[in-house]
Amino acid sequence: MTTNIAVLVSGRGSNLQSIIDNIENGFIKNARISVVISDVDDAYALERARNHGITDVFIDPSDFPNKQEYEKEMLEVLKDNEVDLILLAGYMRLIGKDLIAAYRNRIINIHPALLPSFKGLHAQQQAFDYGVKVSGCTVHFVDEQMDTGPIIIQKCIPVLDTDTAEDLAARILEQEHKSYPEAVKLFVEGKLKVEGRVVVHT
Ligand code: GAR
């Protein structure tokens, strides 16, 4: 059986690209990206989708009176594309409760810090400014709060004395591009079991 994936994006889409590449090279089997959805009309991620023959959809949040109505439209698109799994890849909006309820433990996010530290925006800069000696990335299921859901994979890297915040972000991104495909592969193979807030790899 094939897992139909939707990827939600807002920007450059390098994590989207890593998922596309790892499906195309066979690392992730029995999965396809059925749709890429953006809340930003000129997101480069949409172009990446088109380059690989993947359906791309822009949903303009300003066309809707509130998040609930906006996500209702998104749910229609997800239904039309028979989506089983939603990946947030640089999607810069909080997911509302109706969408979470419809896709409980089937929405995954990647965050550029070792959660629960440095939630929210500019996580790499937050970690750099705090002076941590290790940082990294976290792939996790999405729940009702921001960046709090059960953790699937974390990878860490040292923060070097010579690092700028940009150096750190670039090295974290390299780990993101490995972690996200690994997490998706585990999900697609049915190897993730959520027990409370702990994810067990079966
Ligand atoms: C990535 O670093 C991702 O972890 C981060 O946005 C970047 C998107 O890059 N996401 C968040 O900060 C979510 N809170 P990409 O568009 O090249 O994948």
Side-chain angles (χ1 to χ4, degrees), residues 11-16 89-90 92 109-112 120 124 147 173 176:
R12 74 188 157 180
S14 72
N15 277 290
L16 164 67
M92 293 305 183
N109 180 44
I110 186 152
H111 183 74
Q124 308 96 323
D147 298 331
L173 193 62
E176 294 186 43

Side-chain angles (χ1 to χ4, degrees), residues 12 124-125 164-174 176:
R12 74 188 157 180
Q124 308 96 323
Q125 184 76 48
T164 62
E166 291 71 30
D167 296 333
L168 180 61
R171 291 212 320 288
I172 291 172
L173 193 62
E174 282 174 20
E176 294 186 43

Side-chain angles (χ1 to χ4, degrees), residues 75-172:
L75 272 166
E76 284 299 314
V77 174
L78 296 169
K79 204 169 103 195
D80 289 349
N81 288 280
E82 299 178 4
V83 168
D84 307 300
L85 169 68
I86 301 172
L87 304 179
L88 311 185
Y91 179 68
M92 293 305 183
R93 281 174 195 273
L94 286 178
I95 302 295
K97 61 176 174 28
D98 293 349
L99 188 48
I100 289 176
Y103 279 86
R104 171 78 54 197
N105 290 340
R106 293 192 297 150
I107 308 176
I108 297 178
N109 180 44
I110 186 152
H111 183 74
L114 295 175
L115 292 173
S117 293
F118 312 119
K119 296 178 175 132
L121 294 177
H122 312 300
Q124 308 96 323
Q125 184 76 48
Q126 289 184 53
F128 183 81
D129 292 344
Y130 198 88
V132 295
K133 298 301 185 197
V134 291
S135 192
C137 63
T138 304
V139 185
H140 64 94
F141 286 111
V142 173
D143 66 8
E144 283 78 3
Q145 273 86 47
M146 186 183 63
D147 298 331
T148 56
I151 291 171
I152 301 168
I153 285 182
Q154 291 186 303
K155 286 193 194 292
C156 58
I157 52 153
V159 181
L160 307 176
D161 289 340
T162 51
D163 274 346
T164 62
E166 291 71 30
D167 296 333
L168 180 61
R171 291 212 320 288
I172 291 172

Side-chain angles (χ1 to χ4, degrees), residues 37-50:
I37 304 173
S38 175
D39 63 336
V40 175
D41 62 349
D42 61 353
Y44 182 59
L46 292 174
E47 204 170 313
R48 293 185 195 262
R50 288 193 288 273

Side-chain angles (χ1 to χ4, degrees), residues 183-201:
V184 172
K185 181 182 167 73
L186 288 167
F187 181 96
V188 168
E189 292 176 353
K191 291 185 175 160
L192 299 177
K193 200 166 141 212
V194 183
E195 296 179 351
R197 67 151 300 109
V198 174
V199 180
V200 179
H201 296 196

